[in-house]
Amino acid sequence: DFAIPGPRVGAAVADRLVEYCEVDLSARQDWEAMVDRALVLLGINKVDMDKLPFPGAAAVQHPIIAEACTQFQANAIEEFFPATGPVQGSVAGAATQESEAQASRAEGFMNFQLTAIDTDYYGDTDQMLFYLPIIGSVFRKAFHDPRDQMPKARYVKSEDFIAPYGARDLKNCPRYA
């Protein structure tokens, strides 16, 4: 017999999930404070205009670090989007003429998908690569978008991703949301 759990069982599961989220968010408070401070120092987060030395002063307090982040982004985007396209296909194992042709077709299709069809992929990747040197971790969610029936891969801001702070990778992570 398949029994539908009562409302109390569902509430207990929800309570446990909320508890896990609170524990995970609490464990990363120092990291979040550091990120917030870094974004203020780089002039990315809104700065209280009263704290600036004079009206019209730049909010960037560390322009060399801001430039280093921009240089990282510029170099990384070239690696992610070379002239031949973001996807490089190859055959795993023994290559045959047929498998080489199949890899070439898959590479061509994926490059077309990521550069011509999914027009937001480049901008999303560019934004992700800007935040990577500042925040230290970035995440990308791959999914099938029900609105346009297309596969997508989108940048998820680290502050919007909840996982145990000490987890070394997602494969061995007990939970994440």
Side-chain angles (χ1 to χ4, degrees):
D1 288 324
F2 178 75
I4 298 174
R8 188 62 215 140
V9 173
V13 171
D15 290 344
R16 180 63 63 97
L17 290 174
V18 168
E19 178 185 340
Y20 284 149
C21 283
E22 288 171 353
V23 166
D24 294 341
L25 290 172
S26 175
R28 71 181 199 185
Q29 284 179 338
D30 290 343
W31 171 80
E32 286 179 334
M34 184 264 317
V35 167
D36 287 342
R37 180 78 177 130
L39 293 175
V40 168
L41 292 174
L42 294 172
I44 296 169
N45 275 2
K46 191 169 186 167
V47 176
D48 184 9
M49 298 309 239
D50 296 334
K51 294 185 178 185
L52 295 177
F54 56 88
V60 178
Q61 296 178 28
H62 292 282
I64 306 267
I65 296 174
E67 185 174 338
C69 292
T70 304
Q71 288 297 318
F72 173 87
Q73 173 193 23
N75 291 333
I77 200 73
E78 287 178 6
E79 291 294 323
F80 274 72
F81 287 89
T84 57
V87 177
Q88 306 299 313
S90 64
V91 176
T96 64
Q97 191 172 15
E98 183 181 325
S99 63
E100 290 285 344
Q102 184 179 14
S104 178
R105 286 191 308 272
E107 177 182 316
F109 174 78
M110 286 302 302
N111 282 323
F112 177 73
Q113 174 70 31
L114 295 176
T115 58
I117 302 296
D118 188 359
T119 56
D120 294 331
Y121 183 76
Y122 179 88
D124 191 71
T125 302
D126 196 38
Q127 180 183 24
M128 179 184 76
L129 293 173
F130 179 76
Y131 281 100
L132 177 57
I134 300 167
I135 295 176
S137 296
V138 292
F139 300 94
R140 181 168 268 170
K141 176 182 179 179
F143 62 98
H144 183 82
D145 191 339
R147 293 174 294 182
D148 60 8
Q149 300 299 315
M150 298 299 291
K152 303 278 174 85
R154 292 294 178 260
Y155 164 52
V156 177
K157 292 183 177 184
S158 297
E159 60 265 23
D160 294 337
F161 188 80
I162 303 171
Y165 187 69
R168 62 183 173 88
D169 60 37
L170 293 180
K171 182 180 178 185
N172 298 304
C173 190
R175 62 189 174 275
Y176 54 87

